[in-house]
Amino acid sequence: MLLLSVFSTILIILAFYVLFTKDLVNIVLAVAVFSITICICYLLMDAPDVAMTEAALGACITTIVMFNLLRSMNIDFVSCETKSKDTNCLLPVDFSINKFKYIASALLSLAILIILIYCGIDMHEYGNAETALHNHLSQYYISKTSSDIGIPSYVAAILGSYRGFDTMGETLVVFIAAASVILILNSEDLDINEVSKYNLYDYELKNYDIIHYLVKRMFPLIVVYGLYIQLCGKVSPGGGFQAGAIVASAVAAISYFSTPEKLLRYAFATSALGVLIYICTGVLTTMLGGEFLNYYALTSSAHLAQTIGILAIEIGVGLTVFSAMVLIYFSFS
Amino acid sequence: MLFGNFIFAAAAILLVIGLMIILVRDSYFIKMIGLAIFQNSMLLFYIAIAKISNGVPPIDQLKPMVYSSPLPHVLMLTAIVVGFATLAVGFALIKRIYRKYTTINASELEL
């Protein structure tokens, strides 16, 4: 409890830092630390799945995408602190000029905070097991999963089977987001020649032998770890969302030394293929006589059918998330 | 009591700071980060109400135990992924704005 309070205080301090600091690079670093800290908070509150997703997506991929965006906007990293107003990196909070706007938004925020705290007085105590959330639907999932689905991880059971239709929508959203990023930034952005020409040769990172050596050795390990997370998501924290983000971060690291051209050429197709695998699993169950995404129709053994169904849709989710993250990362480079 | 519920208060304060960043800061890039902090405060709140004191993570331990509720975990897990996807779309729009107007500050844009 004390640990949680300490970490949430750090979160508040970091948010204030983002509110008041001027340098964009420092803000990006503060957001990365924010992600790691909130990840520890999730872990302390018994949510290892959420913590893993936040660590892979929030702390890793968001940070590198932000840095790629800043780099593409010609922002000078090194001299950011010293240069004054004519560079892009200094973005002053205009407290003096726009005093009215500042005071009005501060008052509005304070009013909202007071309303929220006032509503929160009635709230149950942290960790209380007698609330409505813990006694109806959650109780059903916890008591029925081992007999219905037969896999140890309740989160994977709800994600893949009980609420499979919901997850299909989320996967589609990720695919649509990757597609819209490509459409918003013109198609020439994904020109492979331009990516490889631009790819960090001006940064001279590839001249650092230690980093090259480490990345080359770490790459297969990270990919194997991602595959483990993908395939063992049913018995431990993990699953398609986390695995896709982890493998995509490995590809992002290796891209500093060689551009994965074939992967980029087919990434959009594999992203669509993941969604297709998901929908085809649902269509297959309807053709075999069940409802959409009712895995019991697949084989006669109930637990085996659920395991096969969840594995199939998790592979679809992993493929879509991985390809979408790679596409988004290379679109911003 | 006050100390125990501090996590809920922290979520409320984070939400307000996120709103404040969106309203006060001039750069669209930082406004997007404010939106991300706003969203993270909600995620923190949902995970906090799922926790049961002396509960364990929701993975079957093959014996009767108190498990924290898995349902908010599932909802928030997908919300993080979708949140990142929408953030990326916002960044793409910012990059387009920069390409056309060579600035990402709201006050310098003459639309």
Side-chain angles (χ1 to χ4, degrees):
Chain A
M1 192 74 79
L2 176 69
L3 215 53
L4 195 56
S5 303
V6 170
F7 280 115
S8 41
T9 315
I10 295 174
L11 285 181
I12 294 170
I13 293 169
L14 282 170
F16 267 116
Y17 182 81
V18 173
L19 178 57
F20 288 115
T21 203
K22 287 179 176 177
D23 188 354
L24 277 184
V25 179
N26 282 350
I27 285 178
V28 173
L29 289 175
V31 171
V33 178
F34 186 92
S35 278
I36 288 288
T37 317
I38 208 167
C39 173
I40 296 169
C41 288
Y42 292 151
L43 208 55
L44 289 173
M45 292 188 287
D46 289 350
D49 288 272
V50 187
M52 196 179 269
T53 316
E54 178 70 33
L57 266 174
C60 177
I61 302 230
T62 309
T63 312
I64 55 179
V65 163
M66 282 181 196
F67 273 130
N68 262 348
L69 177 65
L70 291 189
R71 199 181 71 207
S72 70
M73 294 194 296
N74 298 322
I75 288 167
D76 193 354
F77 276 32
V78 184
S79 54
C80 235
E81 293 274 17
T82 52
K83 278 188 186 171
S84 58
K85 283 188 177 175
D86 53 354
T87 56
N88 277 310
C89 55
L90 285 182
L91 299 156
V93 199
D94 280 337
F95 294 133
S96 51
I97 302 165
N98 215 336
K99 208 174 235 171
F100 174 73
K101 182 178 156 191
Y102 175 66
I103 291 173
S105 45
L107 284 177
L108 178 71
S109 305
L110 202 65
I112 291 174
L113 181 65
I114 289 168
I115 292 170
L116 284 175
I117 298 274
Y118 180 72
C119 297
I121 289 172
D122 284 347
M123 192 130 178
H124 66 82
E125 202 175 346
Y126 171 75
N128 187 352
E130 302 300 312
T131 54
L133 170 70
H134 296 296
N135 286 323
H136 301 285
L137 198 53
S138 302
Q139 211 53 53
Y140 176 84
Y141 287 139
I142 288 171
S143 56
K144 288 285 177 64
T145 294
S146 53
S147 60
D148 278 358
I149 317 282
I151 62 172
S153 172
Y154 299 139
V155 173
I158 299 173
L159 189 80
S161 189
Y162 285 118
R163 288 176 171 256
F165 196 65
D166 202 357
T167 313
M168 192 181 88
E170 314 276 4
T171 316
L172 260 175
V173 168
V174 173
F175 171 67
I176 292 168
S180 16
V181 168
I182 295 170
L183 288 175
I184 291 168
L185 306 167
N186 288 332
S187 54
E188 76 235 27
D189 266 22
L190 264 181
D191 189 3
I192 292 151
N193 297 325
E194 196 179 332
V195 170
S196 52
K197 186 183 71 195
Y198 185 52
N199 212 342
L200 269 281
Y201 288 113
D202 46 342
Y203 258 47
E204 297 171 352
L205 197 67
K206 80 182 199 354
N207 296 335
Y208 290 97
D209 287 339
I210 295 174
I211 298 176
H212 195 178
Y213 183 89
L214 279 177
V215 167
K216 249 175 31 191
R217 263 74 184 168
M218 287 297 284
F219 177 72
L221 295 180
I222 301 174
V223 172
V224 168
Y225 178 62
L227 289 178
Y228 167 77
I229 296 284
Q230 168 82 56
L231 296 175
C232 295
K234 297 186 293 301
V235 292
S236 61
F241 286 110
Q242 293 91 332
I246 289 169
V247 179
S249 67
V251 172
I254 203 81
S255 75
Y256 285 91
F257 305 102
S258 63
T259 312
E261 299 183 8
K262 266 191 183 151
L263 185 65
L264 276 183
R265 197 169 290 133
Y266 296 117
F268 195 69
T270 49
S271 174
L273 182 70
V275 179
L276 204 65
I277 288 174
Y278 204 126
I279 295 174
C280 281
T281 312
V283 172
L284 191 66
T285 55
T286 51
M287 281 163 72
L288 290 172
E291 293 90 13
F292 192 70
L293 291 172
N294 177 9
Y295 308 129
Y296 288 127
L298 288 174
T299 61
S300 51
S301 162
H303 286 183
L304 183 67
Q306 288 288 343
T307 309
I308 292 172
I310 293 175
L311 195 66
I313 64 130
E314 289 275 19
I315 287 173
V317 170
L319 214 54
T320 301
V321 171
F322 163 68
S323 316
M325 296 305 145
V326 168
L327 276 178
I328 289 172
Y329 172 74
F330 280 102
S331 303
F332 283 105
S333 62
Chain B
M1 176 69 193
L2 195 69
F3 193 57
N5 277 348
F6 181 69
I7 186 74
F8 297 135
I13 294 168
L14 278 180
L15 187 140
V16 167
I17 299 173
L19 187 67
M20 188 88 181
I21 293 170
I22 297 170
L23 290 173
V24 167
R25 296 306 295 257
D26 202 25
S27 158
Y28 283 125
F29 182 75
I30 303 177
K31 277 180 201 278
M32 286 304 294
I33 289 175
L35 207 59
I37 289 175
F38 193 91
Q39 186 198 13
N40 270 325
S41 75
M42 278 290 90
L43 305 183
L44 195 69
F45 178 73
Y46 269 78
I47 299 295
I49 57 174
K51 165 82 175 156
I52 296 176
S53 34
N54 63 48
V56 295
I59 295 167
D60 200 350
Q61 312 280 337
L62 297 175
K63 55 188 171 190
M65 288 187 100
V66 181
Y67 296 106
S68 295
S69 171
L71 186 56
H73 295 180
V74 177
L75 301 178
M76 293 311 111
L77 191 155
T78 48
I80 290 176
V81 180
V82 172
F84 169 72
T86 49
L87 197 69
V89 175
F91 284 154
L93 287 171
I94 289 172
K95 196 172 170 181
R96 273 303 283 274
I97 291 171
Y98 182 80
R99 231 187 252 165
K100 179 144 190 193
Y101 300 98
T102 63
T103 178
I104 50 169
N105 296 355
S107 59
E108 292 172 21
L109 279 174
E110 289 162 10
L111 298 173

